[in-house]
Amino acid sequence: MKVLSVVGARPNFVKIAPLLREMAGRGEIESVLVHTGQHYDARMSDDFFAALAIPAPDFNLAVGSGSHARQTAEVMTRFEPVLESVRPDLVLVVGDVNSTLAAALTAAKLGIRVAHVEAGLRSFDRSMPEELNRLATDAIADELFASEESAVENLAREGVPSERVHFVGNVMIDALRLTRPLWQASTIVADLGLDRLPRYGAVTLHRAANVDDPDRLRQITGALQALARHVPLIFPVHPRVRPLLDGHDVRWLDAAAPVPAQGLVCTEPLGYLDFVALVSRAAVVLTDSGGIQEETTILGVPCLTLRENTERPATVRHGTNRVIGVAPHRIVEEGLFALTQPPLRRTPPPRWDGHAAARIVDVLVRATVPVAA
Ligand code: UD1
């Protein structure tokens, strides 16, 4: 059985790592890896491959950046001949980035079975590019792997036959557990001089809705500055956001000096192990990322989601996440509240137990091996 897995952007690398590891341990699977090249910087791609022990891709489509239409079209154009030469039994896609949808659509049009990991998550906000990618990918996938119960319910409501939906848990949590000794050994907290401070917070921000409108971004950074008078906030900046912060009241990390006891301090993007290490010891995290809502749930770190909605409600119900929007007064109030009264840890969401990849590969093997075999 030949499984071709596709990755393109940072969160995909984290999700595919445990799946590739699991497939490598099963004799019946021949695994092929395609990197679309959506993310290409060393810090956005190579560092993740190294930290997560992902083998070098068999194909790199090197599509790079571009508008959504161009990026999606480039992946489709360059992926089609790869599929025609490799002829896999199944194409495995993860998450909700442009590469996910482009690869799924190309495979489905060639009549190749598609499996989608992290299917069924819905923010019900179609202004998010990721929501369109999720809806369209799930509409054409043959096997849909759900990370949480809300996703199973969403797919049922959309009329997906239940035999195609598999509630397997969360591969991102598999990755977090598998790499625990490595991120626990990271020295990033000491390297930044954060170990001499009583506490610190971490920030990430990259969603178009939050960063593309200069007024909105200014409001958010202003609120973060106000909160940072009480607790220093470390902000690893996505390359796309860096130029958008020009002229904002933010300070960049000075390599020669430790992080000051207060203020919002920007850094280059961190690799996976350093980022998880930073988050694991933070007093609070403020983010608009999807995956970080999940990681903080398991790490037991208060997470304030700077969005109006989440496609990951299990992180609110079972975890430490609060969806607070971006009103400046709320960011400050909720930040201070999280510092003084951190949420109690609850039982983790069902099946976020480190075995999601094994469940997925079990299903793939069953679904593709002919019944008579
Ligand atoms: C993409 C995903 C988003 C995911 C995020 C994780 C889509 C629609 N969005 O957003 O869901 O949460 O990845 O990071 O697929 N850039 C670089 N170097 C890189 C990659 C990007 O400089 O290695 C810059 C380029 O200016 C590029 C911009 O970032 O134009 C945006 O990159 P892109 O992959 O289109 O979207 P992300 O914002 O990273």
Side-chain angles (χ1 to χ4, degrees):
M1 168 185 184
K2 206 188 271 184
V3 176
L4 186 154
S5 307
V6 181
V7 290
R10 205 161 47 166
N12 292 167
F13 309 140
V14 182
K15 289 166 199 165
I16 211 69
L19 287 161
L20 292 177
R21 183 176 182 273
E22 186 65 34
M23 287 194 280
R26 312 267 184 130
E28 63 266 60
I29 296 181
E30 181 188 343
S31 178
V32 178
L33 180 62
V34 172
H35 187 339
T36 66
Q38 178 174 345
H39 284 177
Y40 44 83
D41 283 355
R43 287 175 187 272
M44 301 292 285
S45 177
D46 305 3
D47 287 2
F48 282 70
F49 273 67
L52 291 152
I54 303 173
D58 300 286
F59 299 87
N60 191 325
L61 308 181
V63 298
S65 302
S67 70
H68 285 256
R70 181 178 285 275
Q71 195 173 54
T72 308
E74 279 298 331
V75 173
M76 293 187 71
T77 308
R78 298 184 192 196
F79 187 41
E80 189 176 50
V82 172
L83 281 179
E84 279 166 341
S85 76
V86 174
R87 304 216 134 275
D89 297 299
L90 181 116
V91 167
L92 182 63
V93 297
V94 295
D96 56 15
V97 304
N98 288 343
S99 297
T100 308
L101 169 61
L105 192 50
T106 313
K109 281 180 179 268
L110 287 176
I112 300 169
R113 295 172 64 74
V114 174
H116 183 206
V117 173
E118 210 184 80
L121 296 182
R122 297 289 181 266
S123 65
F124 304 102
D125 174 1
R126 291 196 182 195
S127 70
M128 280 180 84
E130 294 82 3
E131 182 75 353
L132 297 178
N133 291 342
R134 290 189 279 258
L135 282 161
T137 304
D138 287 342
I140 54 176
D142 299 282
E143 304 292 344
L144 296 97
F145 294 104
S147 55
E148 60 169 88
E149 287 154 313
S150 75
V152 178
E153 290 157 16
N154 293 334
L155 293 170
R157 200 176 325 106
E158 289 169 20
V160 180
S162 61
E163 61 273 18
R164 303 216 317 250
V165 178
H166 314 278
F167 177 33
V168 291
N170 191 330
V171 284
M172 204 153 216
I173 304 308
D174 290 14
L176 191 70
R177 286 168 170 259
L178 280 169
T179 55
R180 185 182 295 270
L182 300 176
W183 54 258
Q184 282 181 334
S186 159
T187 57
I188 187 73
V189 171
D191 294 348
L192 294 175
L194 294 168
D195 53 347
R196 62 185 174 80
L197 301 176
R199 62 189 182 185
Y200 67 86
V203 171
T204 81
L205 218 51
H206 73 281
R207 296 261 164 227
N210 281 342
V211 300
D212 284 355
D213 173 359
D215 290 338
R216 182 155 173 158
L217 183 59
R218 200 171 298 281
Q219 277 182 6
I220 297 173
T221 55
L224 293 172
Q225 286 288 14
L227 177 61
R229 282 199 275 278
H230 305 271
V231 59
L233 296 175
I234 315 304
F235 177 9
V237 179
H238 187 301
R240 132 182 173 72
V241 181
R242 188 176 188 128
L244 304 175
L245 287 171
D246 280 351
H248 283 244
D249 177 24
V250 296
R251 183 175 353 175
W252 283 83
L253 182 70
D254 175 353
V259 169
Q262 51 169 274
L264 175 64
V265 181
C266 299
T267 73
E268 297 292 329
L270 296 178
Y272 177 70
L273 301 174
D274 284 344
F275 184 75
V276 174
L278 182 79
V279 165
S280 70
R281 291 168 62 183
V284 63
V285 172
L286 299 104
T287 187
D288 59 9
S289 148
I292 297 168
Q293 297 172 48
E294 300 182 334
E295 288 161 342
T296 46
T297 288
I298 297 303
L299 294 169
V301 174
C303 177
L304 301 175
T305 295
L306 304 177
R307 290 172 42 190
E308 305 300 334
N309 50 53
T310 181
E311 61 287 330
R312 294 162 159 89
T315 61
V316 176
R317 192 177 321 137
H318 298 273
T320 43
N321 188 20
R322 288 169 67 83
V323 180
I324 65 163
V326 293
H329 72 278
R330 245 222 74 228
I331 293 178
V332 179
E333 281 164 22
E334 292 279 356
L336 292 175
F337 184 73
L339 290 173
T340 48
Q341 296 186 46
L344 295 174
R345 276 182 93 149
R346 282 170 260 180
T347 325
R351 304 193 194 173
W352 289 24
D353 56 3
H355 301 297
R359 295 190 188 101
I360 290 169
V361 177
D362 282 347
V363 172
L364 294 183
V365 170
R366 271 205 313 273
T368 314
V369 172
V371 178

